[in-house]
Amino acid sequence: MKKTTFLLLVTLSIIFSSFTLHKFYVSVTQIDYNKEQRSLQIITRVFVDDIEDLLQERYDDSIVLNTKEEKSKVDGYLYKYLTQKLKIKVNGNDVSFTFLGKEFEDDLVICYLEIENITSLENIEISNEILMDLFEEQQNIVHVKKENQRKSLILEKGKSNGLLNF
């Protein structure tokens, strides 16, 4: 009886140890071309705990997001980081974005960005290395919408940029 119980416990421990939790590292960026406003409106969604880890490592180890203790410098750090890791070319020309702000939704931080003075969108080249410097497995999904056309990219370390033609 003891031997059977022991074998059962060993078997169960082997089975359950093979099912370890694996965290999924992903961000999603939506870029919409607004012809009337002549702008690209960008929304980037990143997991709060991942971007918090990054901001703590890079800028200030006391940063805590989405709390009353959140430091006023967080928006500046986010803008600085995003300008380093998210690069966009429209019709072959480098463009820069304005950081409009952020909000929290469940376990996500949502960053709002805008690129103005875009008279047409024939092609867009995107380099998105958000969180790739912290997580090897990071994938960044980018969706671009122009009128009724929608195109997407999945970017990862070693292939962090792509070109979409409209």
Side-chain angles (χ1 to χ4, degrees):
M1 183 73 168
K2 288 182 183 180
K3 187 174 181 182
T4 305
T5 305
F6 176 75
L7 285 174
L8 180 62
L9 288 173
V10 169
T11 304
L12 288 174
S13 67
I14 291 171
I15 289 171
F16 288 118
S17 69
S18 66
F19 293 107
T20 59
L21 291 177
H22 180 264
K23 186 156 166 61
F24 189 63
Y25 299 101
V26 67
S27 78
V28 178
T29 298
Q30 174 69 43
I31 302 173
D32 291 329
Y33 175 60
N34 187 318
K35 186 177 180 178
E36 291 75 35
Q37 293 184 3
R38 298 175 13 158
S39 69
L40 292 177
Q41 298 167 347
I42 305 166
I43 299 172
T44 297
R45 292 174 172 85
V46 183
F47 286 109
V48 172
D49 58 337
D50 294 342
I51 198 72
E52 185 178 76
D53 288 347
L54 181 119
L55 294 175
Q56 288 172 350
E57 184 176 300
R58 278 192 158 215
Y59 304 110
D60 183 346
D61 62 0
S62 67
I63 288 176
V64 179
L65 296 179
N66 200 19
T67 66
K68 291 179 182 175
E69 293 82 37
E70 182 178 304
K71 297 192 183 242
S72 60
K73 296 179 181 179
V74 167
D75 284 1
Y77 292 147
L78 279 171
Y79 175 69
K80 182 178 181 180
Y81 181 73
L82 290 173
T83 57
Q84 293 170 353
K85 298 300 178 177
L86 182 63
K87 308 280 187 193
I88 300 173
K89 286 185 179 183
V90 175
N91 304 328
N93 300 310
D94 289 324
V95 293
S96 57
F97 54 79
T98 303
F99 182 82
L100 302 176
K102 71 172 180 336
E103 68 179 345
F104 298 95
E105 183 179 288
D106 299 322
D107 58 350
L108 296 174
V109 61
I110 303 168
C111 297
Y112 297 96
L113 314 169
E114 184 177 38
I115 300 171
E116 297 179 305
N117 301 316
I118 304 298
T119 55
S120 69
L121 180 63
E122 305 307 317
N123 62 61
I124 185 167
E125 185 176 346
I126 301 156
S127 173
N128 186 340
E129 296 179 340
I130 293 172
L131 296 172
M132 287 183 187
D133 49 343
L134 192 61
F135 305 112
E136 287 287 323
E137 309 85 13
Q138 179 71 30
Q139 290 187 323
N140 297 322
I141 300 168
V142 180
H143 302 294
V144 181
K145 185 177 178 190
K146 177 188 174 185
E147 297 166 353
N148 61 351
Q149 298 177 58
R150 181 179 164 156
K151 298 187 177 192
S152 299
L153 298 166
I154 298 177
L155 305 173
E156 56 194 15
K157 200 162 197 150
K159 187 191 176 295
S160 60
N161 64 320
L163 175 69
L164 298 173
N165 292 303
F166 288 92

